[in-house]
Amino acid sequence: MLLHSLLLCGLLSFPLLAHAEAGPYNRVDFQVESAREVANDLLTATMRIQIQDRQPSRVAQQLNTALNDALKQAAAFEHVKASSGNQHTYPVYGKDNRVDGWRGHGEIRLESRDFKAAGDLIMRLQQTLQLGDIHFSVAPDTRAKIENELIAGAIKSFQERAEAIRAALGARAYRSVNLSINSGGRMPAPYPIAMARSAMTMEAAIPAPEFAAGDSRMAVQINGTIELQ
């Protein structure tokens, strides 16, 4: 009798166990993307100076004077943000590995949405500083706004793709099981230095550089899983 009861319990529990262990079924993974070319609206430039002298104190003095003067000039440009960058001094070795002098390097960083104002300031600063590099990008607030629009577009595309899959496979309905949203895109290359750096002497007139900011490709991808019902 006891053996019969145990066998009966085993038979009754088997279907429930098999159902509980059955994994997800009729699931489909796919990806959609929403992308757009967006005009770059932020300029970031680095202005540099390098000083060499036998005395480190004179190197520091000349560096500080040049950089302080550059920041004062930048302060007159309301729509250009200027900030201090890297600054360091290191020894220059000559014969017999002896210190032959000192070399100092200093930078200031410029950031602006007003490309003309930035170009005019760069022109002025090139009397004493060299243009290190220029980058064009999409400003953070512009990027956030565009990303929100792309997310909405990507979600719509995901729903349309999910419905097409459901119809093609003859399912009654579907439900979204998992979604992940990723944003990214292709950033433009740094602006070529040769287009903006002047090789003229200080006595010659330095024209203000004209910039073509170009575009950045912004994209949002949605990776998701649907379960057909």
Side-chain angles (χ1 to χ4, degrees):
M1 183 65 179
L2 179 59
L3 179 59
H4 176 74
S5 298
L6 290 174
L7 289 174
L8 181 60
C9 290
L11 290 173
L12 289 174
S13 64
F14 178 78
L16 296 176
L17 181 62
H19 179 73
E21 291 181 348
Y25 61 96
N26 290 341
R27 288 190 174 183
V28 180
D29 300 324
F30 62 94
Q31 175 183 293
V32 295
E33 179 180 85
S34 179
R36 187 186 307 177
E37 293 290 330
V38 181
N40 295 314
D41 60 351
L42 182 66
L43 174 152
T44 304
T46 303
M47 304 296 297
R48 299 170 178 166
I49 186 171
Q50 188 165 278
I51 302 292
Q52 184 165 334
D53 198 284
R54 289 188 175 276
Q55 296 298 324
S57 59
R58 286 202 294 261
V59 171
Q61 181 183 25
Q62 293 177 66
L63 273 181
N64 292 340
T65 299
L67 295 175
N68 290 343
D69 180 66
L71 290 172
K72 286 179 183 178
Q73 292 187 61
F77 288 74
E78 180 182 358
H79 299 293
V80 182
K81 177 183 176 182
S83 58
S84 299
N86 296 324
Q87 185 173 342
H88 55 270
T89 303
Y90 50 91
V92 177
Y93 294 95
K95 293 181 179 180
D96 301 323
N97 203 31
R98 300 176 64 179
V99 176
D100 195 36
W102 294 83
R103 185 174 296 151
H105 173 89
E107 298 177 348
I108 66 169
R109 186 172 182 268
L110 307 177
E111 189 175 282
S112 180
R113 294 190 181 195
D114 186 336
F115 295 168
K116 184 180 185 306
D120 290 342
L121 176 57
I122 288 171
M123 173 190 66
R124 291 192 185 188
L125 295 182
Q126 280 183 306
Q127 297 292 339
T128 54
L129 308 182
Q130 287 185 319
L131 179 60
D133 53 47
I134 293 181
H135 293 267
F136 294 97
S137 61
V138 179
D141 56 341
T142 305
R143 178 173 292 276
K145 177 178 179 294
I146 299 299
E147 280 185 352
N148 287 339
E149 295 173 359
L150 292 175
I151 288 172
I155 289 174
K156 182 179 179 182
S157 296
F158 183 89
Q159 292 170 337
E160 292 173 349
R161 182 71 57 84
E163 180 60 27
I165 292 171
R166 180 208 63 78
L169 295 177
R172 272 187 309 106
Y174 76 88
R175 70 183 184 94
S176 297
V177 176
N178 180 58
L179 287 178
S180 65
I181 300 175
N182 304 297
S183 61
R186 183 188 69 249
M187 299 299 293
Y191 202 79
I193 302 303
M195 297 180 69
R197 177 183 291 171
S198 174
M200 301 178 182
T201 63
M202 292 180 60
E203 291 75 18
I206 301 177
E210 297 181 2
F211 305 117
D215 299 330
S216 290
R217 183 182 186 271
M218 292 184 58
V220 168
Q221 298 89 26
I222 292 184
N223 294 282
T225 302
I226 61 171
E227 185 173 275
L228 301 174
Q229 299 173 346

